[in-house]
Amino acid sequence: MLQNALIFLLHTLFGLFTLAVLLRFYLQLTNAPFRHPASQAIVSLTNFAVRPLRRFVPSWRGLDLSTLLLAFVAQLLLQLCLLWLRDFPLLVAGSGAWIALLGLCVLSLTKLSIYIFLYAVFVQAILSWLSPHNPMATLLDALTRPVLQPLRKHLPLAGGIDISPLVVFIIAELLLITLVTPLEQQLRVLL
């Protein structure tokens, strides 16, 4: 019972930290408004870890690699802690187990990234119907524009309704069902 509580706590803490760091990465990548209160909150929550790491990991072509590395390390620590709780022999594990572990970390970041955009599109769609002038609208629009804009160019409005969020939901779920989840299951078998 204590082990389950510890697993829950680890998933929550590392998951929230990874979410915050990935949000910071995607907000920077999409040029979301930096002065927005939500952007400022994400920056202030993650600065304690990102700023020191930036001394050693520079940006590359506009990509803040330090935040990506931090998200990856957070997922790696989570997976290592979970394996340690299961009494997995990490010190004698073969290279296949370590490759599977690194692959799980990459898949966790991929899955979380898909969920970030999926929920951002969902919240943006709801806000556009209920409160189109909400202060979050500008931030969500900047975050989802790279995903929705290509679809909006090719999809006509259906009776004045933008169906591109629906297409994003379908594509995201298909990616999760056909690629991410099966790969994750195969890698977990190796551990």
Side-chain angles (χ1 to χ4, degrees):
M1 178 133 84
L2 182 62
Q3 185 178 10
N4 289 340
L6 190 55
I7 289 171
F8 166 76
L9 189 61
L10 287 170
H11 271 289
T12 302
L13 293 176
F14 281 106
L16 288 174
F17 180 72
T18 306
L19 176 67
V21 172
L22 277 179
L23 269 173
R24 179 179 178 140
F25 174 77
Y26 288 121
L27 289 172
Q28 289 175 349
L29 185 66
T30 59
N31 293 321
F34 181 74
R35 296 280 181 217
H36 193 279
S39 295
Q40 291 293 312
I42 294 294
V43 168
S44 66
L45 283 172
T46 57
N47 257 349
F48 78 95
V50 172
R51 291 186 92 173
L53 192 58
R54 278 192 179 152
R55 293 182 193 140
F56 307 105
V57 182
S59 294
W60 178 72
R61 294 189 178 192
L63 294 176
D64 187 8
L65 296 180
S66 58
T67 57
L68 273 183
L69 179 63
L70 200 54
F72 181 80
V73 168
Q75 285 303 302
L76 182 61
L77 287 174
L78 172 63
Q79 294 300 327
L80 288 171
C81 288
L82 293 176
L83 288 174
W84 177 72
L85 285 172
R86 287 186 9 212
D87 291 327
F88 185 81
L90 284 171
L91 298 177
V92 294
S95 61
W98 285 99
I99 291 171
L101 182 65
L102 297 176
L104 277 175
C105 295
V106 170
L107 282 176
S108 294
L109 293 180
T110 303
K111 187 191 297 187
L112 194 53
S113 295
I114 290 171
Y115 282 130
I116 285 171
F117 284 101
L118 194 64
Y119 288 121
V121 167
F122 179 73
V123 170
Q124 183 183 16
I126 297 297
L127 282 178
S128 72
W129 296 331
L130 300 177
S131 178
H133 303 294
N134 190 302
M136 285 298 291
T138 57
L139 187 70
L140 290 171
D141 181 57
L143 185 61
T144 61
R145 189 178 307 120
V147 176
L148 292 174
Q149 195 64 31
L151 293 172
R152 287 179 176 150
K153 288 180 182 176
H154 299 293
L155 292 174
L157 293 177
I161 297 175
D162 181 14
I163 61 168
S164 59
L166 179 62
V167 174
V168 168
F169 289 137
I170 293 169
I171 292 170
E173 285 299 324
L174 282 174
L175 283 172
L176 289 169
I177 291 169
T178 61
L179 292 176
V180 176
T181 303
L183 280 172
E184 189 177 33
Q185 290 171 347
Q186 289 176 354
L187 290 174
R188 289 206 186 277
V189 168
L190 298 173
L191 294 176

